[in-house]
Amino acid sequence: MSDRIIEFDKVVAGYSPSLTILNETTLDARRGEITLLIGPNGAGKSTVLKTLFGILVPRSGEVRFEGRVINGRSQRDLLADGIAFVPQGRNLFGTLSVRHNLELGGVTLPRRDLPARIEEVLDRFPRIRERIDNQASTLSGGEQKQLEVGRALLLHPRVLLIDEPSIGLSPKLVADVMAMLRGLADAGTTVLMVEQNVRTALKYSDRALVLEMGRLALDRPSSDLLADPDLNRLFLGGHAAAASGAAA
Ligand SMILES: Nc1ncnc2c1ncn2[C@@H]1O[C@H](COP(=O)(O)OP(=O)(O)O)[C@@H](O)[C@H]1O
Ligand SMILES: [Mg+2]
């Protein structure tokens, strides 16, 4: 079996027929790794995740999951297939309890399986267990992100797509969230993450893909990129394509 669990093959997608955002985008994510998707604002990073999760349908090209084309599949089918998506921002029902939020994440599971699945999540996130009867909006930012990820894990996804999980978190909590994602990947869940907190995210990820204007500009092991003295210039100036040439 190929280790390329997610593949984009010349994918063209956008928000209207006249607006192309992904412009023959070709990239992949490998099984059990954290693949970090970085690049300037508006490059199309979130659009990649939305296209993977069936929110946008490609106009051409192929999106493949475990070798099968998934263009145009519904979000419900993709969830059932093993793809979970944690979008940017706050995605909880703030006035509902932590438990209720978890239960809502498991509505597509057989009812009898739900309690055990919730227990698994609570074993992984002891802090969430402590807050189980609290209103979700009373959790700290880091706890809310844990709850969102925990809710996504209820369905035992093989791939977790996560968009800017560190927004609004203190540096310590950013590292906690990254370490938690690292643990998931080491246990076999493939993670595809968009993150602006590049330096920290590189420390916890395996591979970095730089997207510029809807195209892959750079594909390097995270540790290489982290060691690159030009890292700051790359991400302040957006000259990733030049570095790609230098690295080749
Ligand atoms: N819902 C939308 N409708 C129309 N244009 C959008 C929508 N969402 C994003 N865009 C546009 O698509 C481009 C890429 O956006 P996005 O993928 O969110 O970028 P990134 O996540 O890399 O910052 C931007 O120019 C943005 O303005
Ligand atoms: Mg984005």
Side-chain angles (χ1 to χ4, degrees), residues 7-8 11-13 47-65 68-79 81 83:
E7 294 165 286
F8 272 49
V11 171
V12 177
T47 304
V48 166
L49 299 191
K50 288 190 237 172
T51 305
L52 253 168
F53 199 58
I55 297 167
L56 285 180
V57 178
R59 287 207 288 279
S60 63
E62 282 185 358
V63 180
R64 292 190 290 268
F65 172 52
R68 281 169 300 139
V69 177
I70 57 166
N71 297 34
R73 285 177 67 88
S74 70
Q75 289 167 45
R76 199 185 170 96
D77 284 353
L78 293 168
L79 273 173
D81 281 355
I83 300 181

Side-chain angles (χ1 to χ4, degrees), residues 6 49 52-53 83-87 159-163 190-192:
I6 296 280
L49 299 191
L52 253 168
F53 199 58
I83 300 181
F85 179 39
V86 177
V159 174
L160 179 69
L161 312 175
I162 188 162
D163 198 348
T190 304
V191 177
L192 180 57

Side-chain angles (χ1 to χ4, degrees), residues 45-46 88 163-164 194:
K45 304 179 298 294
S46 298
Q88 189 178 326
D163 198 348
E164 302 208 22
V194 173

Side-chain angles (χ1 to χ4, degrees), residues 1 13 16 20 25 32 52 54 84 88 94 137 191 213 222 228-229 234:
M1 202 164 17
S16 71
T20 298
T25 306
L52 253 168
Q88 189 178 326
S137 63
V191 177
M213 305 215 301
S222 298
D228 192 323
L234 283 173

